[in-house]
PDB file of all heavy atoms in Angstrom:
ATOM      1  N   ILE A   1     -21.132  -1.577  -9.684  1.00 74.00           N
ATOM      2  CA  ILE A   1     -19.810  -1.694  -9.073  1.00 74.00           C
ATOM      3  C   ILE A   1     -18.921  -2.564  -9.947  1.00 74.00           C
ATOM      4  O   ILE A   1     -19.301  -3.660 -10.335  1.00 74.00           O
ATOM      5  CB  ILE A   1     -19.912  -2.288  -7.662  1.00 74.00           C
ATOM      6  CG1 ILE A   1     -20.621  -1.299  -6.726  1.00 74.00           C
ATOM      7  CG2 ILE A   1     -18.543  -2.627  -7.105  1.00 74.00           C
ATOM      8  CD1 ILE A   1     -20.871  -1.843  -5.341  1.00 74.00           C
ATOM      9  N   GLY A   2     -17.750  -2.048 -10.258  1.00 74.00           N
ATOM     10  CA  GLY A   2     -16.818  -2.779 -11.104  1.00 74.00           C
ATOM     11  C   GLY A   2     -15.581  -1.942 -11.354  1.00 74.00           C
ATOM     12  O   GLY A   2     -15.224  -1.078 -10.538  1.00 74.00           O
ATOM     13  N   PRO A   3     -14.908  -2.157 -12.494  1.00 78.00           N
ATOM     14  CA  PRO A   3     -13.680  -1.430 -12.796  1.00 78.00           C
ATOM     15  C   PRO A   3     -13.886   0.083 -12.764  1.00 78.00           C
ATOM     16  O   PRO A   3     -14.943   0.585 -13.142  1.00 78.00           O
ATOM     17  CB  PRO A   3     -13.338  -1.909 -14.212  1.00 78.00           C
ATOM     18  CG  PRO A   3     -14.022  -3.229 -14.357  1.00 78.00           C
ATOM     19  CD  PRO A   3     -15.271  -3.128 -13.529  1.00 78.00           C
ATOM     20  N   HIS A   4     -12.885   0.772 -12.291  1.00 84.00           N
ATOM     21  CA  HIS A   4     -12.842   2.241 -12.246  1.00 84.00           C
ATOM     22  C   HIS A   4     -13.802   2.846 -11.220  1.00 84.00           C
ATOM     23  O   HIS A   4     -14.016   4.045 -11.209  1.00 84.00           O
ATOM     24  CB  HIS A   4     -13.090   2.852 -13.628  1.00 84.00           C
ATOM     25  CG  HIS A   4     -12.294   2.204 -14.718  1.00 84.00           C
ATOM     26  ND1 HIS A   4     -10.916   2.181 -14.703  1.00 84.00           N
ATOM     27  CD2 HIS A   4     -12.679   1.538 -15.824  1.00 84.00           C
ATOM     28  CE1 HIS A   4     -10.494   1.526 -15.779  1.00 84.00           C
ATOM     29  NE2 HIS A   4     -11.536   1.128 -16.471  1.00 84.00           N
ATOM     30  N   HIS A   5     -14.364   2.002 -10.354  1.00 83.00           N
ATOM     31  CA  HIS A   5     -15.217   2.515  -9.278  1.00 83.00           C
ATOM     32  C   HIS A   5     -14.364   3.210  -8.219  1.00 83.00           C
ATOM     33  O   HIS A   5     -14.818   4.163  -7.577  1.00 83.00           O
ATOM     34  CB  HIS A   5     -16.006   1.359  -8.663  1.00 83.00           C
ATOM     35  CG  HIS A   5     -16.867   1.741  -7.506  1.00 83.00           C
ATOM     36  ND1 HIS A   5     -17.995   2.512  -7.648  1.00 83.00           N
ATOM     37  CD2 HIS A   5     -16.770   1.466  -6.180  1.00 83.00           C
ATOM     38  CE1 HIS A   5     -18.556   2.702  -6.466  1.00 83.00           C
ATOM     39  NE2 HIS A   5     -17.830   2.079  -5.565  1.00 83.00           N
ATOM     40  N   THR A   6     -13.144   2.715  -8.045  1.00 88.00           N
ATOM     41  CA  THR A   6     -12.227   3.298  -7.068  1.00 88.00           C
ATOM     42  C   THR A   6     -10.882   3.569  -7.725  1.00 88.00           C
ATOM     43  O   THR A   6     -10.561   3.046  -8.779  1.00 88.00           O
ATOM     44  CB  THR A   6     -11.990   2.332  -5.888  1.00 88.00           C
ATOM     45  OG1 THR A   6     -11.384   1.130  -6.385  1.00 88.00           O
ATOM     46  CG2 THR A   6     -13.284   2.007  -5.173  1.00 88.00           C
ATOM     47  N   TYR A   7     -10.110   4.407  -7.064  1.00 91.00           N
ATOM     48  CA  TYR A   7      -8.692   4.543  -7.418  1.00 91.00           C
ATOM     49  C   TYR A   7      -7.904   4.322  -6.136  1.00 91.00           C
ATOM     50  O   TYR A   7      -8.184   4.979  -5.126  1.00 91.00           O
ATOM     51  CB  TYR A   7      -8.360   5.913  -8.003  1.00 91.00           C
ATOM     52  CG  TYR A   7      -6.881   5.993  -8.319  1.00 91.00           C
ATOM     53  CD1 TYR A   7      -6.404   5.487  -9.519  1.00 91.00           C
ATOM     54  CD2 TYR A   7      -5.979   6.500  -7.385  1.00 91.00           C
ATOM     55  CE1 TYR A   7      -5.043   5.498  -9.791  1.00 91.00           C
ATOM     56  CE2 TYR A   7      -4.617   6.514  -7.656  1.00 91.00           C
ATOM     57  CZ  TYR A   7      -4.161   6.018  -8.852  1.00 91.00           C
ATOM     58  OH  TYR A   7      -2.816   6.015  -9.125  1.00 91.00           O
ATOM     59  N   PRO A   8      -6.938   3.406  -6.180  1.00 93.00           N
ATOM     60  CA  PRO A   8      -6.679   2.473  -7.281  1.00 93.00           C
ATOM     61  C   PRO A   8      -7.779   1.411  -7.362  1.00 93.00           C
ATOM     62  O   PRO A   8      -8.567   1.253  -6.431  1.00 93.00           O
ATOM     63  CB  PRO A   8      -5.331   1.856  -6.896  1.00 93.00           C
ATOM     64  CG  PRO A   8      -5.289   1.942  -5.397  1.00 93.00           C
ATOM     65  CD  PRO A   8      -6.023   3.196  -5.035  1.00 93.00           C
ATOM     66  N   ASP A   9      -7.802   0.678  -8.465  1.00 90.00           N
ATOM     67  CA  ASP A   9      -8.828  -0.347  -8.651  1.00 90.00           C
ATOM     68  C   ASP A   9      -8.839  -1.357  -7.505  1.00 90.00           C
ATOM     69  O   ASP A   9      -9.889  -1.858  -7.108  1.00 90.00           O
ATOM     70  CB  ASP A   9      -8.619  -1.097  -9.981  1.00 90.00           C
ATOM     71  CG  ASP A   9      -9.105  -0.286 -11.174  1.00 90.00           C
ATOM     72  OD1 ASP A   9      -9.974   0.594 -10.986  1.00 90.00           O
ATOM     73  OD2 ASP A   9      -8.622  -0.537 -12.294  1.00 90.00           O
ATOM     74  N   SER A  10      -7.678  -1.643  -6.953  1.00 90.00           N
ATOM     75  CA  SER A  10      -7.571  -2.638  -5.871  1.00 90.00           C
ATOM     76  C   SER A  10      -8.307  -2.205  -4.604  1.00 90.00           C
ATOM     77  O   SER A  10      -8.631  -3.041  -3.754  1.00 90.00           O
ATOM     78  CB  SER A  10      -6.105  -2.908  -5.552  1.00 90.00           C
ATOM     79  OG  SER A  10      -5.463  -1.708  -5.141  1.00 90.00           O
ATOM     80  N   LEU A  11      -8.579  -0.916  -4.465  1.00 91.00           N
ATOM     81  CA  LEU A  11      -9.279  -0.433  -3.275  1.00 91.00           C
ATOM     82  C   LEU A  11     -10.688  -1.021  -3.195  1.00 91.00           C
ATOM     83  O   LEU A  11     -11.204  -1.243  -2.101  1.00 91.00           O
ATOM     84  CB  LEU A  11      -9.337   1.102  -3.286  1.00 91.00           C
ATOM     85  CG  LEU A  11     -10.053   1.760  -2.110  1.00 91.00           C
ATOM     86  CD1 LEU A  11      -9.388   1.402  -0.789  1.00 91.00           C
ATOM     87  CD2 LEU A  11     -10.090   3.283  -2.306  1.00 91.00           C
ATOM     88  N   LEU A  12     -11.315  -1.294  -4.341  1.00 91.00           N
ATOM     89  CA  LEU A  12     -12.664  -1.834  -4.337  1.00 91.00           C
ATOM     90  C   LEU A  12     -12.721  -3.188  -3.625  1.00 91.00           C
ATOM     91  O   LEU A  12     -13.614  -3.434  -2.801  1.00 91.00           O
ATOM     92  CB  LEU A  12     -13.208  -1.964  -5.759  1.00 91.00           C
ATOM     93  CG  LEU A  12     -14.620  -2.531  -5.869  1.00 91.00           C
ATOM     94  CD1 LEU A  12     -15.616  -1.705  -5.068  1.00 91.00           C
ATOM     95  CD2 LEU A  12     -15.045  -2.617  -7.336  1.00 91.00           C
ATOM     96  N   THR A  13     -11.765  -4.072  -3.915  1.00 90.00           N
ATOM     97  CA  THR A  13     -11.722  -5.370  -3.249  1.00 90.00           C
ATOM     98  C   THR A  13     -11.568  -5.198  -1.743  1.00 90.00           C
ATOM     99  O   THR A  13     -12.228  -5.877  -0.947  1.00 90.00           O
ATOM    100  CB  THR A  13     -10.559  -6.215  -3.796  1.00 90.00           C
ATOM    101  OG1 THR A  13     -10.726  -6.358  -5.211  1.00 90.00           O
ATOM    102  CG2 THR A  13     -10.503  -7.582  -3.147  1.00 90.00           C
ATOM    103  N   GLU A  14     -10.733  -4.259  -1.345  1.00 92.00           N
ATOM    104  CA  GLU A  14     -10.520  -3.989   0.076  1.00 92.00           C
ATOM    105  C   GLU A  14     -11.813  -3.501   0.737  1.00 92.00           C
ATOM    106  O   GLU A  14     -12.162  -3.927   1.838  1.00 92.00           O
ATOM    107  CB  GLU A  14      -9.409  -2.940   0.214  1.00 92.00           C
ATOM    108  CG  GLU A  14      -8.934  -2.722   1.613  1.00 92.00           C
ATOM    109  CD  GLU A  14      -7.759  -1.752   1.664  1.00 92.00           C
ATOM    110  OE1 GLU A  14      -7.100  -1.512   0.621  1.00 92.00           O
ATOM    111  OE2 GLU A  14      -7.521  -1.217   2.766  1.00 92.00           O
ATOM    112  N   ILE A  15     -12.522  -2.621   0.048  1.00 92.00           N
ATOM    113  CA  ILE A  15     -13.790  -2.114   0.588  1.00 92.00           C
ATOM    114  C   ILE A  15     -14.798  -3.249   0.730  1.00 92.00           C
ATOM    115  O   ILE A  15     -15.466  -3.377   1.760  1.00 92.00           O
ATOM    116  CB  ILE A  15     -14.344  -0.999  -0.323  1.00 92.00           C
ATOM    117  CG1 ILE A  15     -13.483   0.265  -0.198  1.00 92.00           C
ATOM    118  CG2 ILE A  15     -15.805  -0.683   0.025  1.00 92.00           C
ATOM    119  CD1 ILE A  15     -13.804   1.339  -1.221  1.00 92.00           C
ATOM    120  N   MET A  16     -14.908  -4.068  -0.304  1.00 90.00           N
ATOM    121  CA  MET A  16     -15.870  -5.164  -0.261  1.00 90.00           C
ATOM    122  C   MET A  16     -15.553  -6.147   0.878  1.00 90.00           C
ATOM    123  O   MET A  16     -16.456  -6.737   1.458  1.00 90.00           O
ATOM    124  CB  MET A  16     -15.901  -5.909  -1.597  1.00 90.00           C
ATOM    125  CG  MET A  16     -16.291  -5.047  -2.787  1.00 90.00           C
ATOM    126  SD  MET A  16     -17.928  -4.298  -2.658  1.00 90.00           S
ATOM    127  CE  MET A  16     -18.953  -5.652  -3.163  1.00 90.00           C
ATOM    128  N   ASP A  17     -14.261  -6.265   1.210  1.00 90.00           N
ATOM    129  CA  ASP A  17     -13.849  -7.167   2.287  1.00 90.00           C
ATOM    130  C   ASP A  17     -14.081  -6.585   3.679  1.00 90.00           C
ATOM    131  O   ASP A  17     -14.249  -7.330   4.649  1.00 90.00           O
ATOM    132  CB  ASP A  17     -12.364  -7.523   2.147  1.00 90.00           C
ATOM    133  CG  ASP A  17     -12.091  -8.455   0.975  1.00 90.00           C
ATOM    134  OD1 ASP A  17     -13.051  -9.085   0.481  1.00 90.00           O
ATOM    135  OD2 ASP A  17     -10.918  -8.541   0.555  1.00 90.00           O
ATOM    136  N   HIS A  18     -14.070  -5.243   3.800  1.00 92.00           N
ATOM    137  CA  HIS A  18     -14.082  -4.614   5.123  1.00 92.00           C
ATOM    138  C   HIS A  18     -15.321  -3.785   5.435  1.00 92.00           C
ATOM    139  O   HIS A  18     -15.487  -3.337   6.581  1.00 92.00           O
ATOM    140  CB  HIS A  18     -12.835  -3.749   5.303  1.00 92.00           C
ATOM    141  CG  HIS A  18     -11.568  -4.536   5.375  1.00 92.00           C
ATOM    142  ND1 HIS A  18     -10.816  -4.837   4.264  1.00 92.00           N
ATOM    143  CD2 HIS A  18     -10.941  -5.116   6.424  1.00 92.00           C
ATOM    144  CE1 HIS A  18      -9.769  -5.545   4.617  1.00 92.00           C
ATOM    145  NE2 HIS A  18      -9.817  -5.742   5.923  1.00 92.00           N
ATOM    146  N   VAL A  19     -16.158  -3.526   4.450  1.00 90.00           N
ATOM    147  CA  VAL A  19     -17.374  -2.730   4.685  1.00 90.00           C
ATOM    148  C   VAL A  19     -18.584  -3.618   4.364  1.00 90.00           C
ATOM    149  O   VAL A  19     -18.973  -3.743   3.203  1.00 90.00           O
ATOM    150  CB  VAL A  19     -17.390  -1.445   3.826  1.00 90.00           C
ATOM    151  CG1 VAL A  19     -18.648  -0.630   4.117  1.00 90.00           C
ATOM    152  CG2 VAL A  19     -16.135  -0.611   4.095  1.00 90.00           C
ATOM    153  N   PRO A  20     -19.161  -4.263   5.373  1.00 87.00           N
ATOM    154  CA  PRO A  20     -20.266  -5.202   5.139  1.00 87.00           C
ATOM    155  C   PRO A  20     -21.436  -4.542   4.406  1.00 87.00           C
ATOM    156  O   PRO A  20     -21.854  -3.435   4.741  1.00 87.00           O
ATOM    157  CB  PRO A  20     -20.682  -5.617   6.551  1.00 87.00           C
ATOM    158  CG  PRO A  20     -19.485  -5.349   7.401  1.00 87.00           C
ATOM    159  CD  PRO A  20     -18.801  -4.150   6.787  1.00 87.00           C
ATOM    160  N   GLY A  21     -21.929  -5.222   3.374  1.00 83.00           N
ATOM    161  CA  GLY A  21     -23.105  -4.744   2.651  1.00 83.00           C
ATOM    162  C   GLY A  21     -22.856  -3.598   1.709  1.00 83.00           C
ATOM    163  O   GLY A  21     -23.813  -2.981   1.227  1.00 83.00           O
ATOM    164  N   TYR A  22     -21.584  -3.279   1.418  1.00 83.00           N
ATOM    165  CA  TYR A  22     -21.300  -2.128   0.565  1.00 83.00           C
ATOM    166  C   TYR A  22     -22.054  -2.237  -0.761  1.00 83.00           C
ATOM    167  O   TYR A  22     -22.034  -3.259  -1.434  1.00 83.00           O
ATOM    168  CB  TYR A  22     -19.794  -2.004   0.284  1.00 83.00           C
ATOM    169  CG  TYR A  22     -19.482  -0.799  -0.578  1.00 83.00           C
ATOM    170  CD1 TYR A  22     -19.548   0.480  -0.054  1.00 83.00           C
ATOM    171  CD2 TYR A  22     -19.160  -0.949  -1.928  1.00 83.00           C
ATOM    172  CE1 TYR A  22     -19.287   1.588  -0.844  1.00 83.00           C
ATOM    173  CE2 TYR A  22     -18.905   0.150  -2.721  1.00 83.00           C
ATOM    174  CZ  TYR A  22     -18.971   1.416  -2.169  1.00 83.00           C
ATOM    175  OH  TYR A  22     -18.732   2.522  -2.964  1.00 83.00           O
ATOM    176  N   CYS A  23     -22.769  -1.181  -1.108  1.00 78.00           N
ATOM    177  CA  CYS A  23     -23.503  -1.120  -2.369  1.00 78.00           C
ATOM    178  C   CYS A  23     -23.693   0.345  -2.737  1.00 78.00           C
ATOM    179  O   CYS A  23     -23.261   1.240  -2.013  1.00 78.00           O
ATOM    180  CB  CYS A  23     -24.837  -1.852  -2.278  1.00 78.00           C
ATOM    181  SG  CYS A  23     -25.947  -1.185  -1.025  1.00 78.00           S
ATOM    182  N   LEU A  24     -24.360   0.591  -3.846  1.00 71.00           N
ATOM    183  CA  LEU A  24     -24.505   1.934  -4.381  1.00 71.00           C
ATOM    184  C   LEU A  24     -25.899   2.491  -4.110  1.00 71.00           C
ATOM    185  O   LEU A  24     -26.871   1.754  -3.985  1.00 71.00           O
ATOM    186  CB  LEU A  24     -24.258   1.919  -5.894  1.00 71.00           C
ATOM    187  CG  LEU A  24     -22.928   1.308  -6.331  1.00 71.00           C
ATOM    188  CD1 LEU A  24     -22.857   1.262  -7.846  1.00 71.00           C
ATOM    189  CD2 LEU A  24     -21.770   2.104  -5.763  1.00 71.00           C
ATOM    190  N   TRP A  25     -25.994   3.817  -4.083  1.00 65.00           N
ATOM    191  CA  TRP A  25     -27.296   4.460  -3.916  1.00 65.00           C
ATOM    192  C   TRP A  25     -28.235   4.120  -5.063  1.00 65.00           C
ATOM    193  O   TRP A  25     -29.447   4.076  -4.902  1.00 65.00           O
ATOM    194  CB  TRP A  25     -27.130   5.973  -3.829  1.00 65.00           C
ATOM    195  CG  TRP A  25     -26.735   6.436  -2.465  1.00 65.00           C
ATOM    196  CD1 TRP A  25     -25.488   6.813  -2.049  1.00 65.00           C
ATOM    197  CD2 TRP A  25     -27.570   6.559  -1.316  1.00 65.00           C
ATOM    198  NE1 TRP A  25     -25.510   7.159  -0.722  1.00 65.00           N
ATOM    199  CE2 TRP A  25     -26.782   7.030  -0.255  1.00 65.00           C
ATOM    200  CE3 TRP A  25     -28.926   6.325  -1.086  1.00 65.00           C
ATOM    201  CZ2 TRP A  25     -27.298   7.262   1.014  1.00 65.00           C
ATOM    202  CZ3 TRP A  25     -29.436   6.565   0.178  1.00 65.00           C
ATOM    203  CH2 TRP A  25     -28.626   7.025   1.216  1.00 65.00           C
ATOM    204  N   ASP A  26     -27.708   3.856  -6.238  1.00 57.00           N
ATOM    205  CA  ASP A  26     -28.565   3.542  -7.378  1.00 57.00           C
ATOM    206  C   ASP A  26     -29.320   2.240  -7.175  1.00 57.00           C
ATOM    207  O   ASP A  26     -30.255   1.944  -7.909  1.00 57.00           O
ATOM    208  CB  ASP A  26     -27.721   3.445  -8.664  1.00 57.00           C
ATOM    209  CG  ASP A  26     -27.263   4.810  -9.134  1.00 57.00           C
ATOM    210  OD1 ASP A  26     -27.729   5.815  -8.569  1.00 57.00           O
ATOM    211  OD2 ASP A  26     -26.450   4.874 -10.061  1.00 57.00           O
ATOM    212  N   GLU A  27     -28.929   1.455  -6.201  1.00 54.00           N
ATOM    213  CA  GLU A  27     -29.583   0.179  -5.943  1.00 54.00           C
ATOM    214  C   GLU A  27     -30.704   0.331  -4.911  1.00 54.00           C
ATOM    215  O   GLU A  27     -30.909  -0.492  -4.038  1.00 54.00           O
ATOM    216  CB  GLU A  27     -28.539  -0.846  -5.490  1.00 54.00           C
ATOM    217  CG  GLU A  27     -27.494  -1.122  -6.554  1.00 54.00           C
ATOM    218  CD  GLU A  27     -26.295  -1.899  -6.040  1.00 54.00           C
ATOM    219  OE1 GLU A  27     -26.311  -2.323  -4.865  1.00 54.00           O
ATOM    220  OE2 GLU A  27     -25.335  -2.066  -6.806  1.00 54.00           O
ATOM    221  N   PHE A  28     -31.446   1.409  -5.025  1.00 57.00           N
ATOM    222  CA  PHE A  28     -32.529   1.736  -4.103  1.00 57.00           C
ATOM    223  C   PHE A  28     -33.707   0.796  -4.262  1.00 57.00           C
ATOM    224  O   PHE A  28     -34.067   0.402  -5.362  1.00 57.00           O
ATOM    225  CB  PHE A  28     -33.024   3.149  -4.402  1.00 57.00           C
ATOM    226  CG  PHE A  28     -32.903   4.102  -3.254  1.00 57.00           C
ATOM    227  CD1 PHE A  28     -33.256   5.426  -3.430  1.00 57.00           C
ATOM    228  CD2 PHE A  28     -32.464   3.693  -2.017  1.00 57.00           C
ATOM    229  CE1 PHE A  28     -33.166   6.325  -2.391  1.00 57.00           C
ATOM    230  CE2 PHE A  28     -32.369   4.584  -0.971  1.00 57.00           C
ATOM    231  CZ  PHE A  28     -32.719   5.904  -1.165  1.00 57.00           C
ATOM    232  N   ASP A  29     -34.349   0.469  -3.162  1.00 55.00           N
ATOM    233  CA  ASP A  29     -35.601  -0.271  -3.173  1.00 55.00           C
ATOM    234  C   ASP A  29     -36.722   0.768  -3.139  1.00 55.00           C
ATOM    235  O   ASP A  29     -36.916   1.446  -2.139  1.00 55.00           O
ATOM    236  CB  ASP A  29     -35.669  -1.185  -1.938  1.00 55.00           C
ATOM    237  CG  ASP A  29     -36.951  -1.986  -1.889  1.00 55.00           C
ATOM    238  OD1 ASP A  29     -37.869  -1.692  -2.691  1.00 55.00           O
ATOM    239  OD2 ASP A  29     -37.036  -2.886  -1.061  1.00 55.00           O
TER     240      ASP A  29
END
């Protein structure tokens, strides 16, 4: 997760603030 994950880039900060535990499928246990 980082730059260019969302459009616009600012949406990522909003998601991280409002969607608890947001992470990627690649981070599988």
Side-chain angles (χ1 to χ4, degrees):
I1 292 175
H4 313 300
H5 177 70
T6 62
Y7 179 84
D9 282 336
S10 60
L11 179 60
L12 180 57
T13 302
E14 189 175 342
I15 289 170
M16 300 300 279
D17 288 343
H18 292 91
V19 181
Y22 181 73
C23 60
L24 306 176
W25 279 102
D26 287 351
E27 297 168 5
F28 240 177
D29 180 349

